[in-house]
Amino acid sequence: MNHRHLLLMSSSRKDQLGYLEHAHAQIHALLQHRQQQVVFIPYAAVSFDYERYEDMVRPVFEQLGYGFSSLHRHADPQAALQQADAIAVGGGNTFALLKRLQDAGLMSVIQDRVRQGAPYIGWSAGGNVAGPTIRTTNDMPIVQPASLRGLGLLPFQVNPHFTPGKPPGHNGESREERLAEFLALNAPEELVALPEGSALLVEGDQVQVLGERGALHFRPRGEVLTLHEGKRFALSRIQGPADMAGWPDFLPPN
Amino acid sequence: MNHRHLLLMSSSRKDQLGYLEHAHAQIHALLQHRQQQVVFIPYAAVSFDYERYEDMVRPVFEQLGYGFSSLHRHADPQAALQQADAIAVGGGNTFALLKRLQDAGLMSVIQDRVRQGAPYIGWSAGGNVAGPTIRTTNDMPIVQPASLRGLGLLPFQVNPHFTPGKPPGHNGESREERLAEFLALNAPEELVALPEGSALLVEGDQVQVLGERGALHFRPRGEVLTLHEGKRFALSRIQGPADMAGWPDFLPPN
């Protein structure tokens, strides 16, 4: 997948800024101000409907100068994605998003389109689902997908909404403890955690860290490396799952 | 399952108290001071080993006057559970716990033993896995179980470690928002959330709320009812999944 153009964002919001307000330069960095039609996938929305989600996201892309349509408006979602210049996948619940993509037979359509060079933008759940699996989502498994296998657009796991520590008076796990559990059971895998406002821009086999808070590279045995804003590295620098052969594949479209 | 005796606890710790220190009276309420052998299942442990987990839990049960052994010490885990007077399942990662129980062929062994009248104690992940599914776990899906289907010892979902609100500066979902997403996608299901220190004591078809913080009964459309300490109600009062027929079953033991 040498032609991949990906923008994987931690979150739709940073601090007190408006929806995707922090992300304007990041989106332009991927879409390069070129005139193009972005098709938005609202499937991660659970406690609000697709119309409301469309109303939140449309103005952002239109004000940045890009064409926009939401997938739920298209009679043939597969054809809409095949014809999309760029694909944007919003946040919400990662399990619901993955199950809906699987059930609609869209996983391989998105993979094909990205392989052909279409830019992919995902934030939060939409960033997580781009990885080899959704094993590093923060979301509650409110529905059961056929498999936890993701789009596999990049070879390692990303953890969005990274927040250190835990709230006072809470004895559940901190995020660092959860990620340490992932690393313990999946060695020698590594992952990249993104604080809110940060993103990875992937062009071919090269990654660049965007956002003033940078990113964290979690390695086995508790090693955590800071990846500062602007840092560039090869995709192969982060160890992903060595072998996906044992993973259940997507259900075929119904 | 009229003979069920269950103690489902939110957490191993409450505030600054020691391991299970808040739970002594709750454990006695289930085990009734009778001389009996408790077999402990340490499979939710991920970032520490089973020996260390055994060392944390053994003193608690022995000081309360109960016999104790950890399942990882038994050459034949299925036989050990079949002969256990009571079964205790500790917290950790719910996905790892469920996968290990499935892989070892222990799901039906535990179900049978509880059906025969053996008391079951579960805290955190061990309480969550007792429900119809683990769809209300707070844990990261670091491994993929064959199915999210749980032990089904009680007919509705429990959410452990309930903490309201969200940490300052974090734009991810609050626990209430996550549970609202569950309710939205799974209507008309309901669930019970347990603040740390709280528990449900289930005797046959009757439930009693233990712990000074009580519990919360989440219903569709945002309704949340407080269940105070000492409150008793029928299991059938909380709506669980109406039909588990469409759910993938456990993998048979290898």
Side-chain angles (χ1 to χ4, degrees):
Chain A
M1 213 183 271
N2 278 335
H3 300 295
R4 56 164 89 72
H5 303 281
L6 315 173
L7 176 64
L8 309 174
M9 297 189 281
S10 172
S11 57
S12 57
R13 292 180 190 277
K14 181 191 176 200
D15 306 331
Q16 304 308 314
L17 295 174
Y19 200 83
L20 291 175
E21 192 176 342
H22 70 279
H24 292 180
Q26 297 179 2
I27 294 171
H28 282 316
L30 182 78
L31 298 182
Q32 298 277 326
H33 298 272
R34 287 193 213 99
Q35 199 171 10
Q36 56 198 299
Q37 195 67 22
V38 176
V39 175
F40 170 65
I41 303 181
Y43 290 179
V46 171
S47 43
F48 52 95
D49 64 22
Y50 294 162
E51 282 70 28
R52 188 171 145 214
Y53 207 176
E54 179 184 12
D55 290 344
M56 293 162 70
V57 180
R58 173 188 293 285
V60 176
F61 282 87
E62 289 188 345
Q63 283 167 24
L64 294 176
Y66 302 107
F68 181 92
S69 69
S70 181
L71 192 60
H72 75 283
R73 302 274 184 198
H74 291 266
D76 185 342
Q78 297 197 15
L81 290 175
Q82 280 157 352
Q83 291 154 21
D85 296 317
I87 296 171
V89 183
N93 182 283
T94 311
F95 290 86
L97 168 62
L98 180 57
K99 184 177 185 347
R100 286 163 171 167
L101 290 174
Q102 289 170 347
D103 289 351
L106 297 180
M107 298 291 287
S108 60
V109 178
I110 297 170
Q111 291 167 326
D112 287 346
R113 200 68 198 90
V114 172
R115 205 174 283 123
Q116 292 157 2
Y120 176 101
I121 306 175
W123 55 93
S124 191
N128 198 266
V129 83
T133 74
I134 64 163
R135 287 170 298 153
T136 50
T137 177
N138 309 306
D139 294 340
M140 189 172 277
I142 57 175
V143 293
Q144 172 158 327
S147 155
L148 298 186
R149 195 163 175 172
L151 290 164
L153 306 181
L154 78 165
F156 55 81
Q157 297 287 137
V158 169
N159 176 247
H161 292 285
F162 179 79
T163 308
K166 58 178 103 178
H170 180 69
N171 285 307
E173 291 83 1
S174 70
R175 184 69 58 81
E176 293 94 329
E177 288 166 346
R178 294 183 192 281
L179 297 179
E181 289 184 349
F182 174 87
L183 296 168
L185 275 200
N186 295 287
E189 269 189 78
E190 306 170 346
L191 62 90
V192 173
L194 296 172
E196 293 184 350
S198 291
L200 298 182
L201 179 67
V202 183
E203 297 284 350
D205 295 325
Q206 289 294 312
V207 189
Q208 186 183 351
V209 176
L210 305 183
E212 62 186 14
R213 291 183 190 136
L216 296 168
H217 174 189
F218 278 77
R219 307 193 66 204
R221 288 173 300 282
E223 192 183 3
V224 182
L225 308 173
T226 301
L227 304 171
H228 292 288
E229 181 179 13
K231 169 85 180 174
R232 293 165 192 268
F233 57 91
L235 268 186
S236 59
R237 177 169 158 192
I238 316 281
Q239 173 71 52
D243 181 12
M244 297 292 294
W247 279 77
D249 220 327
F250 312 124
L251 280 184
N254 293 317
Chain B
M1 212 183 272
N2 278 334
H3 299 295
R4 58 164 86 73
H5 303 281
L6 314 173
L7 176 64
L8 309 173
M9 297 188 281
S10 172
S11 56
S12 59
R13 293 181 189 276
K14 181 191 176 199
D15 306 330
Q16 304 307 316
L17 295 175
Y19 200 81
L20 292 175
E21 192 176 343
H22 71 279
H24 293 181
Q26 297 178 1
I27 294 171
H28 282 317
L30 182 78
L31 298 183
Q32 298 277 323
H33 297 272
R34 287 194 213 98
Q35 200 172 9
Q36 56 197 300
Q37 195 65 21
V38 177
V39 175
F40 171 63
I41 302 180
Y43 290 180
V46 172
S47 43
F48 52 95
D49 64 23
Y50 294 163
E51 282 69 29
R52 188 173 145 211
Y53 207 176
E54 179 185 11
D55 290 343
M56 293 163 69
V57 181
R58 173 188 293 284
V60 176
F61 282 89
E62 289 188 343
Q63 283 165 25
L64 294 176
Y66 303 107
F68 181 92
S69 69
S70 182
L71 193 61
H72 76 282
R73 301 274 184 197
H74 291 266
D76 184 342
Q78 297 198 15
L81 290 174
Q82 281 158 350
Q83 291 155 22
D85 296 317
I87 296 170
V89 184
N93 182 282
T94 311
F95 290 86
L97 169 62
L98 180 58
K99 184 175 185 349
R100 287 164 171 169
L101 290 175
Q102 290 169 348
D103 290 350
L106 297 180
M107 298 293 285
S108 60
V109 178
I110 298 170
Q111 291 168 324
D112 288 346
R113 201 65 199 93
V114 171
R115 206 175 281 121
Q116 291 158 2
Y120 176 102
I121 306 176
W123 55 93
S124 191
N128 198 266
V129 82
T133 75
I134 64 164
R135 286 170 299 153
T136 50
T137 178
N138 309 307
D139 295 340
M140 189 171 277
I142 57 175
V143 293
Q144 171 157 327
S147 154
L148 298 186
R149 195 163 177 173
L151 290 164
L153 306 182
L154 79 166
F156 54 81
Q157 297 288 137
V158 168
N159 176 248
H161 292 282
F162 178 79
T163 308
K166 60 178 101 177
H170 181 68
N171 285 308
E173 292 84 0
S174 69
R175 185 70 58 82
E176 293 94 327
E177 287 166 347
R178 293 183 193 281
L179 297 178
E181 289 185 350
F182 174 87
L183 296 167
L185 274 203
N186 294 287
E189 269 189 77
E190 306 170 346
L191 63 89
V192 173
L194 296 172
E196 292 184 349
S198 291
L200 297 182
L201 179 66
V202 182
E203 297 283 350
D205 294 326
Q206 289 294 310
V207 189
Q208 186 182 352
V209 176
L210 305 183
E212 62 187 15
R213 290 181 192 140
L216 296 167
H217 175 189
F218 279 77
R219 308 193 65 206
R221 288 175 299 283
E223 191 182 4
V224 183
L225 308 172
T226 301
L227 303 172
H228 292 289
E229 181 179 14
K231 169 85 179 174
R232 293 166 192 267
F233 58 91
L235 268 185
S236 59
R237 177 169 160 190
I238 316 282
Q239 174 72 52
D243 181 11
M244 297 292 293
W247 279 76
D249 221 326
F250 312 125
L251 280 184
N254 293 318

